[in-house]
Amino acid sequence: MNTPASTDKDLWVSWDAYHRSIEQLALKVHESGWKFDQVLCLARGGLRPGDIFSRIFDVPLAILSTSSYREDAGTVQGSLDIGKYISMTKGTLQGRVLVVDDLVDSGVTLERVLHHLRQNFPAVTDVKSAVIWYKACSSVAPDYHLDYLATNPWIHQPFEEYDSIRPHQLNAWLKKGESV
């Protein structure tokens, strides 16, 4: 499937470009020289980048569920929900933590999560953030970002196609992919 051309209002991202962006962001963090003990990804958008960072840097992955884009197929921002618990295989969040997400839009999620960590996790000694896309309208700047988006476009990520597919449609969906 061809990705539409991007404009000032819409940024269209292919799977290849998405994965390459995560790798470039990881390189940027590495080249900064900052060492971290754990990756905390913000689900859902930060799951894929967090997983890749955890693998590349060989550090444990923790997951914090957050959600604000739930209305109109994920295109309208609602109130922010932050999960009560952080999911990780053992221990607690501690040391130097890199918070990873796909983007910072309004900045509300990142700002509230960073505040939540500083208030509720005294064993965390340092927190930095990394995102692929940093929009100009954000109220907070991430520590690391790959692309600064001055025109605040809507980002069409490749996995969003799954937002409109339901289990009963998978057979037809898979057949469509075979004909390409």
Side-chain angles (χ1 to χ4, degrees), residues 5 8 15 22-23 36-37 52 60 69 73 95 114 123 135 141 143 145 156 158 165 173 176:
D8 284 350
W15 278 111
I22 295 169
E23 294 161 355
F36 51 95
D37 305 305
I52 293 170
Y69 285 93
L114 294 176
K135 290 187 179 184
D143 295 290
H145 67 278
H156 301 271
I165 298 172
W173 176 261
K176 180 185 85 168

Side-chain angles (χ1 to χ4, degrees), residues 5-97:
S6 294
T7 67
D8 284 350
K9 294 184 181 194
D10 292 280
L11 175 63
W12 294 90
V13 182
S14 69
W15 278 111
D16 286 345
Y18 177 72
H19 286 116
R20 180 57 49 117
S21 293
I22 295 169
E23 294 161 355
Q24 289 171 324
L25 179 62
L27 180 60
K28 194 171 196 176
V29 171
H30 168 71
E31 289 177 342
S32 79
W34 188 68
K35 305 286 187 220
F36 51 95
D37 305 305
Q38 293 177 300
V39 168
L40 174 64
C41 69
L42 303 185
R44 291 189 312 188
L47 282 170
R48 288 169 184 88
D51 174 57
I52 293 170
F53 267 66
S54 174
R55 291 170 189 271
I56 289 173
F57 289 97
D58 193 26
V59 297
L61 176 65
I63 302 167
L64 177 61
S65 292
T66 61
S67 180
S68 61
Y69 285 93
R70 289 182 301 276
E71 300 167 29
D72 288 337
T75 61
V76 176
Q77 188 171 22
S79 62
L80 175 66
D81 294 325
I82 296 177
K84 186 174 182 180
Y85 302 102
I86 292 176
S87 178
M88 45 196 304
T89 54
K90 62 182 175 178
T92 60
L93 203 61
Q94 60 185 345
R96 295 175 311 271
V97 176

Side-chain angles (χ1 to χ4, degrees), residues 46-173:
L47 282 170
R48 288 169 184 88
D51 174 57
I52 293 170
F53 267 66
S54 174
R55 291 170 189 271
I56 289 173
F57 289 97
D58 193 26
V59 297
L61 176 65
I63 302 167
L64 177 61
S65 292
T66 61
S67 180
S68 61
Y69 285 93
R70 289 182 301 276
E71 300 167 29
D72 288 337
T75 61
V76 176
Q77 188 171 22
S79 62
L80 175 66
D81 294 325
I82 296 177
K84 186 174 182 180
Y85 302 102
I86 292 176
S87 178
M88 45 196 304
T89 54
K90 62 182 175 178
T92 60
L93 203 61
Q94 60 185 345
R96 295 175 311 271
V97 176
L98 180 65
V99 175
V100 177
D101 205 354
D102 54 352
L103 66 103
V104 61
D105 190 351
S106 69
V108 171
T109 300
L110 183 58
E111 199 166 35
R112 289 208 27 220
V113 165
L114 294 176
H115 178 76
H116 174 75
L117 294 176
R118 291 182 179 114
Q119 292 295 312
N120 298 299
F121 293 88
V124 172
T125 58
D126 196 9
V127 179
K128 291 193 179 188
S129 58
V131 300
I132 301 168
W133 301 286
Y134 167 29
K135 290 187 179 184
C137 62
S138 176
S139 62
V140 62
D143 295 290
Y144 305 99
H145 67 278
L146 184 62
D147 294 322
Y148 177 76
L149 304 174
T151 62
N152 304 307
W154 184 260
I155 302 168
H156 301 271
Q157 298 191 54
F159 49 80
E160 290 174 357
E161 63 191 3
Y162 297 113
D163 289 340
S164 60
I165 298 172
R166 296 300 166 253
H168 69 278
Q169 299 167 314
L170 282 172
N171 195 31
W173 176 261

